[in-house]
Amino acid sequence: SLLLQASTTTKEFAVEAKRQLFQAFLHMDLLGASTDDQDSLVQLRASCKEAWLAMMQSTPSRTQEEVLRVMRQLPGCSSAQGEQLTEDGLFSMDIALQLPSGARVAVEVDGPTHYVTSSSGAVQLNGATQLRNRLLEARGWKVVSVPAVQWTSMTGGEAAQLAYLEKLIIRE
């Protein structure tokens, strides 16, 4: 396996490489693939997890704070919390909300680094962001993305923002 080869031939990875490797470990977990059968992989995973957890300290953007403020005005959304960790501590959600129905919603305010543009000009979430969403969903969260560019360019003021969030979170 590529991970096994990396763990035996590479002594030191850069921090970002370790974070990316940890994403690969998490994806393998999601797929049901075991990485716990080789001591070297267990050690590599632990090192990569340490690098991953070190990035959990996050400062909310002004846009995130605005989305949270507006969201709390929606029925059933007053308890929304910014920058919440998942139960296992592996993911920081921009905004976490438990609806009266019991559904848990992770609202991610995604800036331009979360997107790629294809050769045809179509804009879509990048691979790392898509994986983040799948991993949050596997932890029981419905993931809703609020594109920061769309939010900041929205016309119609707070009424339009409320309607937008209501459609994304409550009516869906």
Side-chain angles (χ1 to χ4, degrees):
S1 108
L2 183 59
L3 283 175
L4 183 58
Q5 182 182 2
S7 70
T8 57
T9 61
T10 306
K11 300 294 180 200
E12 195 67 37
F13 285 106
V15 172
E16 184 57 31
K18 287 182 179 182
R19 291 176 183 159
Q20 290 175 357
L21 276 172
F22 191 66
Q23 281 183 305
F25 279 117
L26 291 172
H27 192 220
M28 291 173 69
D29 292 346
L30 187 64
L31 298 174
S34 173
T35 57
D36 294 335
D37 54 351
Q38 302 285 332
D39 285 340
S40 57
L41 282 181
V42 171
Q43 292 169 3
L44 177 62
R45 182 184 181 114
S47 175
C48 293
K49 182 178 181 179
E50 185 178 317
W52 179 265
L53 292 175
M55 75 172 188
M56 286 297 117
Q57 305 296 329
S58 183
T59 303
S61 70
R62 195 172 73 204
T63 305
Q64 280 176 245
E65 290 175 344
E66 185 179 333
V67 171
L68 177 59
R69 181 188 60 75
V70 173
M71 181 184 305
R72 285 180 174 158
Q73 296 174 45
L74 291 172
C77 297
S78 62
S79 64
Q81 297 294 313
E83 291 303 330
Q84 293 293 300
L85 292 177
T86 54
E87 290 85 354
D88 59 10
L90 295 178
F91 294 90
S92 175
M93 298 170 283
D94 292 344
I95 301 169
L97 169 68
Q98 184 157 353
L99 295 173
S101 66
R104 298 185 315 165
V105 180
V107 179
E108 293 293 328
V109 181
D110 292 328
T113 61
H114 291 273
Y115 296 91
V116 293
T117 304
S118 71
S119 58
S120 67
V123 177
Q124 63 187 34
L125 291 172
N126 66 28
T129 301
Q130 289 180 40
L131 179 57
R132 173 205 67 194
N133 292 352
R134 281 194 300 271
L135 292 167
L136 284 171
E137 288 167 358
R139 285 162 173 74
W141 292 89
K142 173 188 171 190
V143 181
V144 173
S145 178
V146 175
V149 171
Q150 185 176 355
W151 181 267
T152 57
S153 64
M154 197 175 294
T155 59
E158 198 167 281
Q161 293 170 332
L162 280 164
Y164 175 77
L165 289 175
E166 183 178 23
K167 182 180 176 187
L168 277 179
I169 297 167
I170 297 173
R171 293 189 189 160
E172 223 174 68

